Amino acid sequence: MQRRATRRPGTAQAAGPRDQGHAPQRPPARLPSVLNAHSIAGQVLILQVGVVLLLVVAAVVALVLQARSSSLQMARDRSLVGAETFAHAPGTAAAMKSTDPSALLQPRAEEARKLARVNYVIAFSPAGIRWTHPDPHLIGRRVVGSFADALAGKVHQATYNTPGVGRAVDTMVPVTDANGKVVGLVSVGISVQRVDRMVMKQLPLLFGSAAAGLVLVAGGSALVSRRLRRQTHGLEPAEMTRMYEHHDAVLHSVREGVLVLDGKGRLELANDEASRLLELPPDATGRRITELGLSPSAAALLASDRTVSDEVILAGERLLAVNVRPTVPHGGPGGSVATLRDTTELRELAGRARIARERLQLLYDAGVRIGTTLDVVRTAEELTEIAVPRFADFATVALLEAVRRGEEPDGTSLTMHRTAVRGVHDGHPLYRVDEVITWLPEMPQAQGLRRGHAVLERDLLATRSWQAQDPQRARRMLDVGIRSLVTVPLQARGIALGVADFWRADQDPFTEEDLAVAEELAARAAVAIDNARRYTREHTMAATLQRSLLPRALPEQSALDVAYRYLPAQATVSGDWFDVIPLPGTRVALVVGDVVGHGLHAAATMGRLRTVVHNFCALDLPPDELLSHLDELVAQIDETEAAGQEGAGITGATCLFAVYDPVSGRCCIARAGHPGPALVSPDGTVTFPDVPVSPPLGLCAGLPVETAELHLAEGSRLALYSDGLVENRDRDLDTGLRLLAGALAEPDRTPEQDCQAALDALLPDRPSDDIALLVARTRLTDPDRVADWDVPSEPAAIAPLRAACARRLESWGLDEISYTTELILSELVTNAIRYGGEPIRLRLLLDRDSLICEVADGSSTSPHMRRAATTDEGGRGLFLVAQFARRWGVRYTARGKVIWCEQALEAAEGGLEAMGDAALDQWDESAF
């Protein structure tokens, strides 16, 4: 029960006139009245004097003991300092290790004893034999007592009886050499008798101080008692009791709780109202406020020493406004006074404030967590994750199909794809992800799209419009407890992107106040979805451009079995590219490159480079010359773009170009800043050939490009790749190459199997760069399908050569094109004899569907096809070759050139008649 002042039965009459017409007057306070034992001031004075007397006696005793203790401590300190000083003095350790320590140490010890005013300074050996002593007769004798601690390297200090000295403070200090070995010990002692003499010298001062203090305190007590009498106005105990009872009645009758706590948080006083409001136990007085069953926040607030004004706390079912004031600033003892007012009517207001705070926190979290990725689906999922369960029990998002594809929506369609679903549990009948929904016009979702605002269905049991879409599904939703709906259109830039639905089952139904929160959530999500949609569109455009610039299918050729993999980065497009280009003479060019940078610019640059490589391959340039020309082109592109845009960076690119000849099995490779190839021999051994590397394209600055020539056995596999395959943020290049070698180290595998094995071993979860991989398995042309002849440089050699070619064509079963081939050979060989230089060589290659004729000579003069005039005797040979061959061309070698043409294996349509028509086309009728 709360502490209350005890009401005493004694009643003092109220102040009034004792004699008619005269009011009582109190005499002025004098010192004799202060000594009156019946007054409060007198009682206080007597009590204070007695207490002071006891304190003085106790203080004197304490001072004496303290002085003795201080003197004893001083003796210990002097003994320790003397021992430490002598033990560590220069030469002490050396003297102890000398042949006659006593002769060296005894004079020093006596001198130190006299200067330090101690009783003795003794140095002795680790065996306990004294080297020094104030009494020379004791030198050489064994010391008395234990010195094991000092011998172990510790300082030992004790107080005990010493022969010839009496009770003394003794300190033993070990003396060690440079190796830490104890070579001797020093013991310094000072007698307690000296300490007592010092204490006795201090006693007069102590007693004099105590007497002076007693006089001062007694006088002060008298003055205090006199002041107390003035402050109590001379009231006697009965009068003060009556005043206390009056104040106690007032304290317990007010309708405001009052708590008084001391400086340690203990309850000293609680009136009736405070006990009722806080439901305090009967024995609350004297206990700590934290032990009275209050909430931790309420107990901490009441026990705090800070100033609090009208802070609201929850106590049971009540809301209390608390004011706390410390008592120290007002002259009271340490502690605090708290007043409590019942403000339960503020609970509703506090609840609204809490709800508002939670909504603000929800919107803040939505701004942080929605739109973390530029992915439309993931952004929709983030909206449902932030809404469940803090705002709704179930949340769904449906988007227009155009939005999912990244296209611009028209905003009028009611057909949508469910993109995200989230609920407090999975057992719900809501439309699943990827289901297509066409909203009926009367559905709340369709109404929200028309109005452009959220639509509230507070009680789904009381409405029927929302059930029109799918009555059976609606009944199942009601069965699982879904009772309330808010549907919000997702709009950005005034265009509808989709619909977000929020459903409640276990929580309270939605209210009008929830519409603003739902619309704010939807608005933030819509902006993020629209940004993701735009990014998707741009990424799709870039990816489409990139795919259109890459090979859609590998060309047919007989030199290599080729497989490839191209994986664009998930975040953006890049400039990685590859190509397989058939060359004349059944040769094949393999190309892998990488343009620095990402985005549309890199993809467009890649397309330009790929086109240029195709054009250079049409000229049949060797790899080193092709890369040199490509380097000049890239440098020109960089200069042009840098001039057109201030501060534009260098584009730069890397490239590896290889040409494989199946007739000889040679492969010529050159690279500019690109990773070298991996070569897998037929037995499965993986090596990385040493191909000289040149700077990246655009940075060569005219430096020559070096090449490497490899001789590949049939069945060898050559793997070309971009750096995105073997290198990423989590893996360095050496590790990537080691993994690639392990993935390819299998014999008798197809290029397709190699590609898949390499990706399985090296492909990261989220590639940050494009990956291009090209694996080619070599073939060798059957020697029976190759025929070559050395041609003398004279016209007479043409006829035998035609006959030999005819026989070879007959052996190949190509009689149908024999005449056409002889005609082409005659023209080409004749040109080589007339205009070329030695040596001249003819070679026929039988490919799968074509016959290739090559005439090589030692001249670099390039033939040109022209239209001969009617009066010209020559100039029609190459024209006829172009008419009857599928294609023809010239390529240059280190020692001359090669003129080649390619014929289809089927006979030319019309035979000689077609040839004659082609020849007659050279003249018009006006010439005759």
Side-chain angles (χ1 to χ4, degrees):
M1 193 171 186
Q2 74 277 11
R3 177 183 171 188
R4 300 189 57 174
T6 305
R7 301 181 184 273
R8 298 179 180 176
T11 57
Q13 295 181 356
R18 295 185 181 179
D19 296 326
Q20 201 169 15
H22 298 277
Q25 295 183 359
R26 296 186 183 275
R30 295 184 176 89
L31 185 59
S33 64
V34 175
L35 299 177
N36 186 2
H38 295 286
S39 66
I40 295 178
Q43 294 174 2
V44 170
L45 176 59
I46 295 173
L47 179 61
Q48 287 181 342
V49 171
V51 171
V52 169
L53 185 58
L54 292 176
L55 291 177
V56 168
V57 174
V60 170
V61 175
L63 288 174
V64 171
L65 295 178
Q66 182 179 4
R68 180 178 178 84
S69 176
S70 299
S71 301
L72 189 62
Q73 182 61 39
M74 183 175 63
R76 292 192 182 97
D77 295 340
R78 289 177 58 190
S79 174
L80 177 61
V81 169
E84 289 279 1
T85 302
F86 190 85
H88 298 100
T92 300
M96 289 182 175
K97 296 171 65 177
S98 66
T99 57
D100 189 3
S102 295
L104 298 175
L105 294 176
Q106 176 66 12
R108 297 182 185 178
E110 285 303 299
E111 183 182 0
R113 180 180 65 82
K114 295 175 182 179
L115 292 175
R117 290 187 295 176
V118 296
N119 290 84
Y120 59 85
V121 175
I122 301 175
F124 54 96
S125 67
I129 304 303
R130 294 188 182 96
W131 286 328
T132 67
H133 196 277
D135 186 359
H137 296 91
L138 297 179
I139 295 176
R141 297 185 181 181
R142 186 177 184 83
V143 297
V144 180
S146 174
F147 51 91
D149 291 342
L151 194 59
K154 301 178 181 178
V155 176
H156 178 72
Q157 193 171 60
T159 302
Y160 49 83
N161 292 320
T162 303
V165 179
R167 187 167 182 80
V169 176
D170 180 83
T171 301
M172 291 186 186
V173 175
V175 179
T176 58
D177 58 9
N179 298 324
K181 180 182 178 181
V182 176
V183 297
L185 299 99
V186 175
S187 174
V188 176
I190 182 171
S191 66
V192 177
Q193 185 177 2
R194 291 194 177 188
V195 176
D196 294 337
R197 285 199 298 269
M198 288 186 288
V199 173
M200 294 304 294
K201 292 178 182 180
Q202 298 175 1
L203 285 180
L205 178 62
L206 294 177
F207 284 116
S209 300
L214 179 60
V215 172
L216 292 175
V217 171
S221 299
L223 294 176
V224 169
S225 299
R226 184 177 180 182
R227 181 176 179 82
L228 177 62
R229 182 173 180 80
R230 286 201 305 268
Q231 290 178 345
T232 58
H233 303 288
L235 294 177
E236 295 183 358
E239 293 175 323
M240 296 190 66
T241 299
R242 184 180 63 180
M243 183 180 296
Y244 170 78
E245 289 177 347
H246 174 73
H247 291 171
D248 187 63
V250 172
L251 179 65
H252 291 281
S253 63
V254 296
R255 291 294 87 192
E256 188 173 83
V258 179
L259 297 174
V260 179
L261 289 83
D262 64 9
K264 296 183 179 180
R266 285 191 293 265
L267 182 64
E268 291 190 343
L269 175 66
N271 67 351
D272 294 341
E273 183 68 7
S275 298
R276 183 183 67 84
L277 294 177
L278 297 178
E279 299 180 355
L280 297 177
D283 58 345
T285 304
R287 296 171 58 185
R288 292 185 180 274
I289 195 68
T290 54
E291 301 172 355
L292 301 180
L294 304 180
S295 63
S297 59
L301 177 63
L302 294 174
S304 65
D305 56 356
R306 60 188 179 93
T307 300
V308 176
S309 297
D310 291 331
E311 185 166 333
V312 178
I313 63 172
L314 183 64
E317 298 295 328
R318 298 183 178 88
L319 285 176
L320 303 180
V322 180
N323 293 274
V324 180
R325 295 291 186 274
T327 59
V328 175
H330 304 284
S336 60
V337 176
T339 60
L340 313 172
R341 294 198 312 276
D342 190 357
T343 57
T344 307
E345 64 274 8
L346 297 177
R347 174 178 299 179
E348 183 179 355
L349 180 60
R352 292 181 179 179
R354 178 182 57 81
I355 294 174
R357 184 170 61 252
E358 291 176 353
R359 289 175 176 173
L360 289 175
Q361 185 64 38
L362 174 66
L363 295 179
Y364 171 78
D365 293 342
V368 174
R369 294 174 52 187
I370 296 178
T372 58
T373 64
L374 290 174
D375 183 82
V376 172
V377 175
R378 179 57 191 153
T379 304
E381 293 173 349
E382 290 171 344
L383 172 59
T384 61
E385 291 172 359
I386 198 67
V388 177
R390 298 168 63 180
F391 182 69
D393 295 317
F394 301 92
T396 62
V397 175
L399 299 177
L400 295 170
E401 180 60 24
V403 175
R404 291 162 57 94
R405 295 195 303 266
E407 301 174 359
E408 191 75 23
D410 56 11
T412 60
S413 176
L414 295 179
T415 299
M416 300 183 182
H417 283 252
R418 177 56 49 82
T419 307
V421 178
R422 190 174 183 85
V424 293
H425 56 79
D426 295 333
H428 59 79
L430 298 172
Y431 287 103
R432 301 293 176 177
V433 174
D434 292 333
E435 288 193 58
V436 180
I437 311 169
T438 301
W439 304 113
L440 298 179
E442 60 269 24
M443 292 291 292
Q445 291 81 358
Q447 298 175 19
L449 289 171
R450 287 196 303 269
R451 301 174 187 173
H453 296 287
V455 175
L456 169 64
E457 293 290 348
R458 179 180 176 85
D459 187 1
L460 296 178
L461 291 173
T463 57
R464 294 289 182 268
S465 60
W466 71 279
Q467 303 182 26
Q469 182 79 30
D470 191 341
Q472 294 182 356
R473 187 185 300 272
R475 283 194 295 271
R476 294 199 302 271
M477 292 169 62
L478 294 175
D479 291 340
V480 300
I482 297 178
R483 293 291 183 270
S484 188
L485 164 67
V486 169
T487 178
V488 192
L490 298 173
Q491 299 181 105
R493 298 175 292 107
I495 301 176
L497 308 176
V499 173
D501 294 336
F502 304 101
W503 312 81
R504 282 186 178 177
D506 301 329
Q507 303 182 41
D508 295 335
F510 288 109
T511 63
E512 294 291 339
E513 296 179 352
D514 294 318
L515 293 180
V517 179
E519 288 185 339
E520 183 66 22
L521 285 175
R524 299 190 182 194
V527 172
I529 290 174
D530 191 52
N531 290 338
R533 178 195 64 80
R534 291 187 175 191
Y535 170 78
T536 301
R537 180 184 62 185
E538 298 297 332
H539 182 71
T540 302
M541 292 174 57
T544 301
L545 172 63
Q546 185 184 40
R547 286 194 299 270
S548 67
L549 297 175
L550 289 170
R552 298 187 179 181
L554 296 180
E556 294 184 1
Q557 42 80 33
S558 58
L560 299 167
D561 291 329
V562 183
Y564 70 93
R565 293 290 188 276
Y566 187 86
L567 300 177
Q570 295 185 6
T572 181
V573 297
S574 184
D576 291 18
W577 55 286
F578 69 95
D579 216 334
V580 179
I581 306 173
L583 299 176
T586 67
R587 296 170 303 133
V588 177
L590 302 177
V591 190
V592 175
D594 184 5
V595 176
V596 175
H598 299 274
L600 286 173
H601 177 70
T605 304
M606 175 268 290
R608 296 166 70 179
L609 295 182
R610 180 169 177 259
T611 302
V612 170
V613 170
H614 269 270
N615 293 335
F616 286 158
C617 287
L619 299 176
D620 210 347
L621 298 177
D624 53 346
E625 293 186 22
L626 186 144
L627 290 184
S628 297
H629 289 300
L630 201 61
D631 172 68
E632 295 176 1
L633 175 66
V634 174
Q636 183 179 0
I637 292 175
D638 291 339
E639 293 175 0
T640 303
E641 294 181 353
Q645 182 179 358
E646 184 178 354
I650 295 177
T651 300
T654 65
C655 182
L656 186 148
F657 188 82
V659 175
Y660 174 68
D661 186 353
V663 176
S664 62
R666 293 183 301 175
C667 181
C668 186
I669 305 176
R671 61 181 177 132
H674 201 84
L679 177 62
V680 187
S681 60
D683 62 357
T685 303
V686 179
T687 58
F688 293 92
D690 185 13
V691 179
V693 60
S694 300
L697 301 176
L699 303 177
C700 288
L703 296 176
V705 178
E706 299 183 55
T707 61
E709 189 169 286
L710 308 178
H711 291 269
L712 305 181
E714 186 170 14
S716 299
R717 305 194 299 275
L718 195 66
L720 312 181
Y721 49 88
S722 61
D723 57 356
L725 177 67
V726 295
E727 189 175 14
N728 56 42
R729 297 175 182 175
D730 302 324
R731 183 177 60 222
D732 58 19
L733 179 61
D734 292 338
T735 302
L737 294 177
R738 187 168 58 254
L739 292 175
L740 178 62
L744 298 177
E746 289 289 341
D748 301 328
R749 272 205 314 209
T750 64
E752 280 289 342
Q753 292 172 335
D754 281 335
C755 288
Q756 190 60 45
L759 292 184
D760 292 342
L762 288 96
L763 183 64
D765 295 334
R766 292 184 61 86
S768 58
D769 195 5
D770 289 2
I771 295 176
L773 174 63
L774 193 65
V775 179
R777 185 172 60 186
T778 60
R779 299 174 182 169
L780 290 178
T781 303
D782 188 349
D784 292 338
R785 302 174 72 88
V786 181
D788 55 358
W789 298 269
D790 292 324
V791 181
S793 182
E794 55 185 21
I798 296 178
L801 184 64
R802 292 181 61 177
C805 291
R807 289 191 299 270
R808 178 53 65 94
L809 292 177
E810 182 181 0
S811 66
W812 287 343
L814 301 179
D815 296 336
E816 296 181 356
I817 63 172
S818 177
Y819 183 80
T820 305
T821 303
E822 292 178 17
L823 178 62
I824 293 173
L825 291 178
S826 298
E827 294 296 336
L828 295 181
V829 173
T830 299
N831 281 340
I833 293 174
R834 286 184 178 180
Y835 308 110
E838 293 184 347
I840 302 174
R841 189 172 181 80
L842 170 65
R843 184 172 73 169
L844 295 180
L845 298 174
L846 179 60
D847 201 7
R848 294 178 303 173
D849 60 348
S850 61
L851 177 66
I852 301 170
C853 175
E854 296 179 346
V855 177
D857 66 79
S859 172
S860 60
T861 303
S862 176
H864 298 280
M865 186 177 66
R866 63 185 180 87
R867 191 177 186 88
T870 55
T871 58
D872 290 344
E873 296 182 0
R876 299 174 180 81
L878 287 180
F879 177 79
L880 293 177
V881 171
Q883 291 295 316
F884 294 107
R886 179 186 294 172
R887 55 180 182 152
W888 73 282
V890 180
R891 73 173 182 270
Y892 296 92
T893 64
R895 298 180 180 179
K897 66 178 181 297
V898 176
I899 304 177
W900 59 270
C901 68
E902 181 180 309
Q903 294 176 260
L905 293 184
E906 65 272 9
E909 184 178 354
L912 293 177
E913 183 178 352
M915 295 174 57
D917 293 339
L920 291 176
D921 286 341
Q922 298 297 305
W923 293 272
D924 53 19
E925 296 180 357
S926 62
F928 297 93

